[in-house]
Every structure is written in C-alpha cells, then in structure tokens.
Amino acid sequence: MLEALEEGVKGGVWFSLIDKVYRERSLEVAWHKVKANGGSAGSDHQSVQGFEEQLEDNLKQLHEELRVGSYRPRPIRRQYIEKAGSREKRALGIPAVRDRVVQGALRLVIEPIFERRFAPCSYGFRPGRSCKDALREVQRLLDSGHSWVVDADLKAYFDSIPHDQLMQEVGREIADSRVLELIEAFLKQDILEPLRQWQPEAGTPQGAVVSPLLANLYLHPVDEAMAQAGLAMVRYADDLVILCRSQHQAQAALAQLERLVAERGLRLHPEKTRVVDTQQAEVSFEFLGYRFAKGSRWPRRKSLKKLKEAIRRQTRRTCGRSLTEIVDGVNRTLRGWFEYFKHSNKWTFPAIDGWTRRRLRSILRRRSKQKGISGGSDHQRWPNRYFRDHGLLCLEETHRSLLQSS
C-alpha cells in the first residue's frame, strides 16, 4: 500500500482493500487502540474488559464475518452530556466495542489514502497534527498582520453531512464495493436512545472511530478552494477561522465560505459567524478553547468555568478526605488544564491560584467549626505558604518558570 501510495494505483482508485481491513494484524492493532482509549459499553452491553476476556475468539469472529460479508454493525447507544457554560446537552454516540475495533481497522487502511490529499490548513484528528499546531498557526498569522478574522461556525456539522455526497467523495479514491458498503453501513447505523431506535438520514455518528476522517474528507473541497483563493484558513474539524489583512478581504472570504458550504448542503451558524477586527479594543474571537484579544491569548470563559466546576467537585466543604489527598486531586486537574492553556496571558494564573486557595480555606474553616466561605483573617491563618508546603501547584509560579526556561 505504501509503495502504491507513492507511485499511484491503476485508474487512480483502489479496487482491493477489504482483505486489508479483515487481516488479523489490522484487527489486532485496532483492538489495542480501542483498549487504550477505554470508554463505555455500547448497545450490546459488552465492555472493553469483557471483549478482552475472549479476545482471540472475538477477533477471529470479526475476521470471519468481514471476510464472508456477514458483518453488521450494532446500534449506537446515544447518551447526552452537559455542555460547559450552556443549558444545552451534547449528544454522544457510543458504538459497541466490536464495531470500534472494525472501524479502527477500516481507518487504519483508508486513512493513508485520504491523508495524502488533505490540505495543510486542516489540523483536526490528523496524524502528527494537534490543537496546539492549529493555535500556533493562528498566532503566527495574527503576528504577521492578519488582523481581520472571519470567526465561523458550521451549524450541526457532524449531524448534517449528506450521505450521498460524502460517499461520492469516498468513491473518488476507493472502488472496492465491500469497503464502500462497510462505510455506508456505519453511516446508517441505528441510534438507540432510552425510548426509541431510529436510523439517521444524514451525518456521521459522533463518537465513532471513523467519523473524524470522513468529516475531514467532506470538507476537503472547501479547504482546497480557500487555499486556491489565497486565503489563510485554519480549520480543526468543524471549528475554523480565516485570517485576513483587510476588512474587504475578510468580507469577501466570508461570502466565499458561505457559498462553498451551501454547495455541500451545509450552513454557517448565523449567530456564531462574524467578522472581527482584532486591532480594536474589547474585540476578540474564540478558537479551540482560547479567546484571542488584542495582543494576548486567554482561556475562554467556558474553559475557565469547566476548570472551576472540576475543582468544585473536589473541594466541597463537606469533603472527608485529608487535605493532602484533596491537594493531590486538585493538582492533577490543574496540571492537565495548564498543559493546554500555558500559553495564556500571565494574568490568567494568579486569579485561578487565589480562587483555588479560597476553596481550600473554606474546607479548613469548616473543619475549625466556623461557618461560611473563606474570608476575613483566613488568609493570615492559612497563608499561601501553608498550601505551598502541602504541595499545592501554583500556576503563577509554574508559568513564570516556563517563561524563564523558554
């Protein structure tokens, strides 16, 4: 396959791929990725651990079902999770473990075929690329004078992709009917909710292993068109910005983007899509969890709220754990958050440190038989040094050390 990718295949399309999907080695590699990612059981109630208990038999069964063409994916279990900073809930699809393995093997085989086509402006869910790469590119463009930004949001993208047009895009590279049928079967998997079971008419199932690849493939023509127009677009899945040097260029870019997504049966969210001038005071835009304001980068409000909600759960005043145990848990949360948001403006971190210490002082205050949240003389009774001695991570100091080492 690798040699053919370099030299090209006859007719420009792949005719024989299904045997590479059901190879024992493909399924084994896919299984290890499923196991590493963990996750809940699907509609068949089989957990990752349960699948592993009879791993050899399960993989052999998948191999045989795919080989003879009898494999059928099971319904996707749908659950709804809270959206940080919103009353809405996010729909999450959970395929059965066996289907995650098959999708992993399928992606292993077809991803290299599409990857060689994808544009440099696409960063989401691609090998060797990450959120941080996309954020660095946005910052580079801002620093180079691209101060006008088209902040765009594709409305319900993953649920809106037309199946027929998506399969046409797949068919440009793949002619193996068995693989095409397998992809289509995943697109049309039944959705199992508490009170109903139904089949989607559009979209790629969120939570499915192969969905991000198909979603990138469907937007590839948009990536190409914007690049050919000389526009600096940075896209991470359905989150994208276009950075321009003038208001005229930004307005023209937005018009072209609207036309391109409409041609693909999609639309931009009218309330979340706008053109902003980042040189203006109090003007900002958000991308991948950050808020970009004039000359600085901050965590967006939802990102801060999500962090505080996680720390609140660990620092309830009625918590019975020792302070050392509480601090250990809080530190894990803070370290994970800091790893992503360490490039924020330096004034981000003292505020979080102070808020976290106040939560801990409130616990100590209650244990001292005092009512209410921390305040008054608590700062003198339990100074910042007290929490440092107990090992609490100080984000302000960690950020300062990072800048010094840089």
Side-chain angles (χ1 to χ4, degrees):
M1 278 191 69
L2 291 174
E3 183 179 346
L5 283 169
E6 294 296 327
E7 299 179 0
V9 291
K10 187 176 181 181
V13 293
W14 292 79
F15 285 91
S16 181
L17 290 174
I18 190 65
D19 60 310
K20 298 167 182 62
V21 175
Y22 65 65
R23 281 183 61 198
E24 289 91 342
R25 181 58 180 159
S26 298
L27 294 169
E28 182 183 343
V29 171
W31 152 250
H32 285 299
K33 291 187 178 181
V34 170
K35 181 182 177 181
N37 291 333
S40 304
S43 60
D44 60 357
H45 306 294
Q46 185 177 50
S47 65
V48 173
Q49 293 77 12
F51 188 92
E52 187 174 23
E53 288 174 1
Q54 295 181 304
L55 179 61
E56 186 175 350
D57 290 341
N58 285 329
L59 293 182
K60 282 183 178 179
Q61 182 178 350
L62 288 177
H63 163 80
E64 189 61 20
E65 288 181 10
L66 288 166
R67 188 184 69 82
V68 302
S70 63
Y71 169 81
R72 298 293 182 272
R74 292 172 182 170
I76 292 176
R77 180 170 69 86
R78 174 168 284 187
Q79 68 179 34
Y80 293 88
I81 57 176
E82 301 289 340
K83 277 187 177 182
S86 173
R87 294 181 180 179
E88 298 178 4
K89 291 189 176 183
R90 186 188 306 277
L92 179 66
I94 305 175
V97 174
R98 69 194 301 274
D99 295 335
R100 300 199 307 253
V101 172
V102 174
Q103 287 193 24
L106 175 65
R107 179 169 180 167
L108 188 70
V109 172
I110 68 174
E111 185 174 59
I113 296 172
F114 297 119
E115 262 297 315
R116 66 194 181 104
R117 286 178 52 191
F118 288 163
C121 69
S122 171
Y123 290 86
F125 307 105
R126 295 185 58 191
R129 295 186 152 221
S130 67
C131 290
K132 293 181 180 180
D133 296 321
L135 290 165
R136 275 193 287 267
E137 178 63 8
V138 169
Q139 191 65 58
R140 184 190 71 79
L141 290 165
L142 289 170
D143 294 341
S144 65
H146 293 71
S147 59
W148 284 88
V149 178
V150 178
D151 183 8
D153 183 276
L154 289 167
K155 188 174 178 62
Y157 174 57
F158 282 89
D159 294 329
S160 304
I161 301 174
H163 288 169
D164 289 346
Q165 288 180 251
L166 174 58
M167 292 306 299
Q168 287 176 15
E169 290 296 329
V170 175
R172 295 181 193 277
E173 297 277 354
I174 296 174
D176 186 326
S177 61
R178 296 274 302 280
V179 169
L180 294 175
E181 289 170 3
L182 184 60
I183 294 173
E184 195 158 15
F186 285 130
L187 292 176
K188 297 185 181 300
Q189 271 180 279
D190 279 1
I191 305 297
L192 182 63
E193 294 184 323
L195 297 177
R196 64 174 182 147
Q197 183 170 329
W198 54 280
Q199 186 179 90
E201 297 180 359
T204 60
Q206 294 194 49
V209 177
V210 77
S211 286
L213 174 61
L214 297 176
N216 276 333
L217 175 64
Y218 193 67
L219 280 181
H220 174 66
V222 177
D223 297 340
E224 277 190 320
M226 300 303 278
Q228 289 170 3
L231 294 167
M233 184 172 79
V234 181
R235 182 175 68 79
Y236 193 96
D238 59 340
D239 197 358
L240 66 93
V241 288
I242 307 169
L243 295 98
C244 306
R245 294 187 179 274
S246 68
Q247 182 179 11
H248 174 74
Q249 186 186 34
Q251 295 289 358
L254 176 56
Q256 182 170 358
L257 180 65
E258 287 176 332
R259 177 179 58 80
L260 288 169
V261 299
E263 289 174 355
R264 308 204 63 68
L266 308 169
R267 60 193 180 112
L268 299 178
H269 198 299
E271 297 174 1
K272 298 181 180 180
T273 300
R274 61 202 179 111
V275 173
V276 299
D277 178 9
T278 60
Q279 294 299 307
Q280 298 295 317
E282 306 301 323
V283 172
S284 64
F285 69 95
E286 295 180 352
F287 185 62
L288 297 181
Y290 275 94
R291 178 171 61 87
F292 290 81
K294 186 177 180 180
S296 294
R297 199 194 305 183
W298 307 77
R300 67 175 185 166
R301 290 184 181 88
K302 287 184 179 180
S303 303
L304 286 171
K305 184 174 182 179
K306 189 174 181 179
L307 170 67
K308 289 185 175 182
E309 286 175 351
I311 293 177
R312 278 194 187 97
R313 290 192 293 269
Q314 298 171 312
T315 56
R316 293 186 176 93
R317 279 177 283 168
T318 55
C319 179
R321 294 178 298 156
S322 69
L323 183 61
T324 299
E325 291 176 313
I326 295 171
V327 166
D328 286 345
V330 169
N331 281 347
R332 285 192 292 271
T333 299
L334 290 173
R335 285 194 186 97
W337 187 89
F338 181 79
E339 178 58 30
Y340 188 79
F341 289 102
K342 61 188 175 185
H343 300 294
S344 299
N345 184 284
K346 67 178 183 179
W347 297 112
T348 300
F349 307 107
I352 298 172
D353 288 333
W355 181 85
T356 303
R357 286 191 292 263
R358 187 162 63 251
R359 295 286 304 179
L360 296 174
R361 288 189 183 104
S362 295
I363 295 175
L364 297 174
R365 181 182 177 88
R366 181 183 177 88
R367 293 179 180 179
S368 300
K369 310 301 182 184
Q370 294 176 284
K371 295 181 179 180
I373 62 173
S374 175
S377 61
D378 291 346
H379 187 81
Q380 285 75 39
R381 187 176 183 183
W382 298 293
N384 296 352
R385 184 178 64 254
Y386 176 86
F387 298 105
R388 186 183 299 113
D389 292 343
H390 277 79
L392 179 65
L393 180 69
C394 177
L395 296 183
E396 182 180 12
E397 293 177 359
T398 305
H399 183 251
R400 189 185 302 122
S401 297
L402 176 68
L403 293 180
Q404 290 172 350
S405 65
S406 298

